Amino acid sequence: MIMQLHHVQLAMPEGQEDLAVQFYSILLGLEVEQKPDTLAKRGGVWFRQGEVRVHLGVEEPFSPAKKAHPAFLCDDLNELAQALEAAMFPVQWDEKLSGFRRFYTADPFGNRIEFLQSAR
């Protein structure tokens, strides 16, 4: 019955949309996707790159996701790791998933994010 994942939603604090855009759009390269007018008034921001969609929604009180996380497949993990570290987002490499190179970081709000690339 399920055909594909439409989007993943992460929480963010109120009024921090500019930080979300800096991280997800400027640093990661996702495009800002316009929210429908009926949802725009709630705050937050949506991003998209092809079929990859990430929605950040305002949650008060805010609490970052420390375990639950999206995992993004990348074509150049080393370049992304360097860009994140240069922007002061430390990466934690993990070699526990066979067939993949991967690392974790946190977005500006403390949400855990995984990036991985095929080891082939």
Side-chain angles (χ1 to χ4, degrees):
M1 292 174 58
I2 296 175
M3 299 179 341
Q4 71 181 43
L5 181 66
H6 183 271
H7 70 272
V8 63
Q9 177 147 347
L10 298 169
M12 62 174 282
E14 184 176 15
Q16 300 295 308
E17 287 80 2
D18 287 345
L19 277 177
V21 169
Q22 288 175 14
F23 183 81
Y24 288 94
S25 185
I26 296 171
L27 189 55
L28 299 184
L30 301 174
E31 296 177 18
V32 175
E33 183 175 25
Q34 186 170 346
K35 293 177 70 171
D37 291 340
T38 56
L39 299 177
K41 62 186 171 190
R42 296 181 185 176
V45 60
W46 291 3
F47 301 95
R48 182 176 186 165
Q49 179 63 37
E51 293 302 313
V52 175
R53 293 180 184 99
V54 180
H55 295 178
L56 271 80
V58 171
E59 184 175 74
E60 293 295 335
F62 170 72
S63 180
K66 298 291 188 183
K67 181 71 174 172
H69 63 276
F72 298 108
L73 279 173
C74 303
D75 61 1
D76 192 335
L77 204 60
N78 291 333
E79 181 180 336
L80 179 58
Q82 290 173 352
L84 285 164
E85 289 184 328
M88 306 306 290
F89 292 97
V91 302
Q92 296 178 323
W93 290 93
D94 181 291
E95 298 180 6
K96 297 176 184 168
L97 184 60
S98 179
F100 291 91
R101 297 179 57 241
R102 70 178 179 170
F103 65 79
Y104 296 93
T105 194
D107 73 6
F109 317 115
N111 293 309
R112 183 181 192 190
I113 310 290
E114 178 180 347
F115 298 96
L116 62 162
Q117 180 178 11
S118 174
R120 295 182 207 122

